[in-house]
Amino acid sequence: MLPDSTTMAEKPADVLQETFMRRCLQLAMIASGNTAPNPMVGAVLVHGQRIIGEGYHEYFGGPHAEVSCIHSVKAADKSLIPESTLYVSLEPCAHHGKTPPCADLIIQEKIQQVVVACRDPFPEVDGKGMNKLLANQVELIFPMMEWEAIETNRRFFTFHQLRRPFVILKWAESANHKMAGGLGERSYISNAYSNRQVHKWRSEEAAVLVGTQTAMLDDPLLTNRLWTGKNPVRIVLDKNLRLPGSLHLFDGSVPTVIVNTKQESSSGNLQYKKIDPEKPLIPAIMSALYSMNLLSVLVEGGSRLLQTWIDSGIWDECRVITNNELEIKDGSPSPALKDKILFNSETYFSDTIHYYRNKEASRPC
């Protein structure tokens, strides 16, 4: 059992300690979109006031941040490791997964002081790493910059504490708040700069989702071809399996999941995931994505699907791209976003992107 955090730190955090922890968070963010379903973690090893090693978890299955940090120490500084303080943005692991326990490495290297930003919510860790360090007489300072660390890994915390993916809603609208033109007509609303930003968003999330109507009318690829990094898993909601196999979504180029109420099967990159038609739609989709270990989903559906999602209350962020120079006479009204908190805005020539959070959503802690 971990003691109260105030008993683990002999002195309050000072500005220098927070500077080193902030560097851990900066390092962690370099791997944005590459570590899922693992968290993003950064680590810094400090001797006196000098950083002698730093590292981060670069990709899923790769060395953890603590390992990369310790291995980065130059030969001339190796003897300083036991006299140094290790800063890490998430509790060191204590279990054998794809890599050995980081807590064991810290003990093996005889590091006497470890500063941890926040506890790991993953059940295989969740206090066990810090308990192992304490049992081996390692001085533990915890927590430090806890809110910032949880915010960095909000997808990971949401997944493990709320048992669902982190949900980001996204749409583009005209200046008069319309999303599409006439029936069967595809309207290009956002400009090239905003489109590139959307592809960046895709590279940062585990999955991207559209509904039957969007898949049929737009025939999207749902890849991040305008950005770098891996493509998200494509999720298509097609309850009654009405979509033709000629669509881009069925080309087998990217792992794709068809969420439906009819069948469960898989072949190559195409998987059919059955949900219970008697259950509310959005919770059923969330359960399906959770079972597939997908930490986050970017919902790029049409107005009706997005409104259903908003009304369910099961969303965390929303990103709305507004073309301030375009008006659409006929088309679908944009969804009515309620319980929102604006936390950022960006402008790319004709487009403004507003970033919202759901003030009513349960937050990981």
Side-chain angles (χ1 to χ4, degrees):
M1 188 74 167
L2 282 171
D4 182 82
S5 60
T6 57
T7 68
M8 283 190 277
E10 293 184 355
K11 57 183 178 180
D14 57 25
V15 173
L16 193 58
Q17 286 179 320
E18 290 191 355
T19 298
F20 293 136
M21 186 58 75
R22 196 170 301 281
R23 176 58 179 162
C24 290
L25 297 174
Q26 290 175 342
L27 289 166
M29 287 298 294
I30 295 173
S32 179
N34 294 324
T35 63
N38 283 353
M40 297 179 291
V41 185
V44 171
L45 191 63
V46 179
H47 183 266
Q49 297 184 8
R50 181 169 68 93
I51 293 176
I52 64 171
E54 57 181 30
Y56 62 97
H57 183 38
E58 294 185 37
Y59 58 91
F60 176 65
H64 285 190
E66 299 93 325
V67 176
S68 296
C69 176
I70 291 170
H71 287 176
S72 75
V73 178
K74 295 178 180 178
D77 290 331
K78 292 287 186 185
S79 63
L80 302 178
I81 293 177
E83 304 167 10
S84 302
T85 297
L86 178 67
Y87 292 78
V88 60
S89 61
L90 189 69
E91 175 185 4
C93 64
H95 68 296
H96 285 270
K98 288 186 174 292
T99 60
C102 292
D104 288 358
L105 177 63
I106 293 168
I107 295 164
Q108 175 187 318
E109 294 289 339
K110 297 182 172 56
I111 296 172
Q112 296 301 302
Q113 187 180 69
V114 177
V115 183
V116 176
C118 63
R119 187 167 176 158
D120 189 331
F122 181 51
E124 293 294 321
V125 185
D126 198 15
K128 298 180 181 69
M130 291 192 287
N131 274 328
K132 180 174 278 192
L133 295 179
L134 288 170
N136 284 271
Q137 289 74 54
V138 176
E139 180 188 2
L140 192 62
I141 298 176
F142 159 84
M144 180 176 292
M145 298 183 66
E146 182 178 30
W147 184 89
E148 291 90 338
I150 292 174
E151 181 69 11
T152 298
N153 274 311
R154 56 193 181 277
R155 294 159 180 80
F156 183 75
F157 275 82
T158 295
F159 185 83
H160 287 290
Q161 293 185 338
L162 305 182
R163 299 179 67 83
R164 66 164 176 82
F166 187 88
V167 177
I168 301 171
L169 308 179
K170 167 263 170 184
W171 70 82
E173 64 179 22
S174 63
N176 61 333
H177 308 295
K178 296 291 180 67
M179 283 185 64
L183 185 62
E185 177 186 344
R186 182 173 184 180
S187 296
Y188 293 91
I189 296 176
S190 53
N191 63 34
Y193 301 94
S194 296
N195 288 342
R196 188 174 294 272
Q197 183 74 349
V198 170
H199 285 227
K200 177 178 181 291
W201 296 342
R202 289 176 182 172
S203 75
E204 295 168 345
E205 308 309 331
V208 57
L209 183 148
V210 295
T212 308
Q213 186 89 342
T214 298
M216 186 75 79
L217 295 180
D218 293 352
D219 192 15
L221 286 165
L222 295 186
T223 58
N224 61 330
R225 57 201 176 276
L226 300 181
W227 200 256
T228 59
K230 66 177 181 62
N231 290 305
V233 175
R234 301 186 295 200
I235 310 292
V236 187
L237 176 62
D238 184 16
K239 289 192 291 184
N240 298 310
L241 299 179
R242 296 191 293 112
L243 294 173
S246 58
L247 295 177
H248 287 128
L249 292 169
F250 297 94
D251 62 15
S253 63
V254 177
T256 303
V257 179
I258 313 302
V259 176
N260 68 95
T261 61
K262 303 296 184 181
Q263 71 178 64
E264 181 124 5
S265 63
S266 62
S267 177
N269 269 341
L270 193 61
Q271 178 181 354
Y272 288 83
K273 186 73 174 177
K274 186 177 180 181
I275 59 173
D276 188 344
E278 300 301 319
K279 290 185 177 180
L281 179 61
I282 304 306
I285 296 173
M286 289 287 91
S287 295
L289 300 189
Y290 180 81
S291 72
M292 290 184 282
N293 214 26
L294 295 171
L295 263 62
S296 62
V297 59
L298 178 65
V299 181
E300 296 192 32
S303 179
R304 187 167 64 177
L305 178 61
L306 286 163
Q307 192 63 61
T308 301
W309 223 296
I310 292 167
D311 293 342
S312 77
I314 307 175
W315 62 278
D316 300 285
E317 291 185 8
C318 182
R319 299 166 185 179
V320 181
I321 305 169
T322 304
N323 186 330
N324 303 300
E325 298 177 0
L326 173 69
E327 291 204 355
I328 298 175
K329 183 178 179 181
D330 298 314
S332 303
S334 301
L337 189 63
K338 53 190 176 182
D339 299 324
K340 64 183 185 292
I341 299 173
L342 178 68
F343 70 92
N344 192 25
S345 295
E346 297 172 339
T347 299
Y348 298 94
F349 296 94
S350 61
D351 293 353
T352 299
I353 305 176
H354 294 296
Y355 296 79
Y356 300 97
R357 288 219 172 139
N358 183 357
K359 69 178 180 181
E360 298 299 326
S362 298
R363 301 296 299 167
C365 59

